[in-house]
Amino acid sequence: MIRFRQAGHSAVPDVLALLDGATAWLVARGRSDQWGTEPHSANPRRIEQITGFADDGGLWLAEDDGRVVGALAVGTAMPYVPPATEPELYVRLLVTDRASSGQGIGAALLDHARSLARAAGVGMLRVDCFAGGDGALIRYYEQQGFTRDVAFAVPVNGSEWPGQVLVQRL
């Protein structure tokens, strides 16, 4: 049974390990355009970002029998997306253990985010994701009840990383 717990600094290595595993999985499938090829655990910017999520109190872990199988970070919108026009809770990170794929962990984490938003009296949940490749990630969020809002691009190493903001009314 999946359990959720709010996470602090001690969970940062677990979250980075999930991200490293997801990146390796993407690279093995020829999809390095989403997160590149380097481990997140070796990237000072990414380590700082995940530590910041813990500092903000918005980092959550999903555990199954004591094993970390997913992570969620919620809070304010990321700086590269257009601001919301009403109060919201923003999904800043969603990652699951690839070895546990198909067990509904991502959906359960999104349900947890919805519960957190409702508890805060917020009626909108937003998330952004990689909009490149075959669009599979966008379709995943649409299957979870989100609708496309605005597309954006983030400059990265002389090119652009395509993104999509999705929204869900609660």
Side-chain angles (χ1 to χ4, degrees):
M1 178 172 164
I2 296 174
R3 299 182 55 156
F4 303 105
R5 71 172 172 89
Q6 197 167 19
H9 282 219
S10 63
V12 170
D14 291 323
V15 176
L16 292 168
L18 289 171
L19 288 164
D20 287 351
T23 298
W25 182 86
L26 288 166
V27 169
R29 283 152 184 77
R31 296 170 54 189
S32 62
D33 50 344
Q34 181 172 335
W35 280 343
T37 59
E38 299 302 314
H40 297 262
S41 58
N43 180 331
R45 185 192 63 78
R46 193 63 150 164
I47 295 166
E48 181 181 343
Q49 181 186 54
I50 303 304
T51 301
F53 294 162
D55 288 344
D56 292 345
L59 185 61
W60 294 83
L61 294 182
E63 296 178 328
D64 185 10
D65 199 25
R67 186 173 66 87
V68 175
V69 295
L72 166 77
V74 294
T76 58
M78 301 304 284
Y80 51 79
V81 300
T85 57
E86 64 185 86
E88 71 172 342
L89 186 64
Y90 201 90
V91 175
R92 304 176 91 193
L93 172 74
L94 179 70
V95 62
T96 61
D97 177 20
R98 298 313 311 158
S100 301
S101 181
Q103 296 181 18
I105 296 164
L109 284 163
L110 289 171
D111 282 343
H112 187 66
R114 290 179 193 99
S115 296
L116 293 170
R118 288 184 185 105
V122 174
M124 184 171 70
L125 189 64
R126 284 197 311 163
V127 63
D128 70 80
C129 70
F130 179 65
D134 63 1
L137 200 47
I138 294 171
R139 288 191 303 279
Y140 171 79
Y141 284 110
E142 288 174 334
Q143 292 166 356
Q144 298 301 316
F146 288 83
T147 56
R148 294 178 199 211
D149 186 23
V150 62
F152 64 95
V154 177
V156 177
N157 299 327
S159 64
E160 290 189 334
W161 185 89
Q164 176 69 53
V165 176
L166 297 105
V167 63
Q168 186 174 71
R169 303 272 175 208
L170 305 174

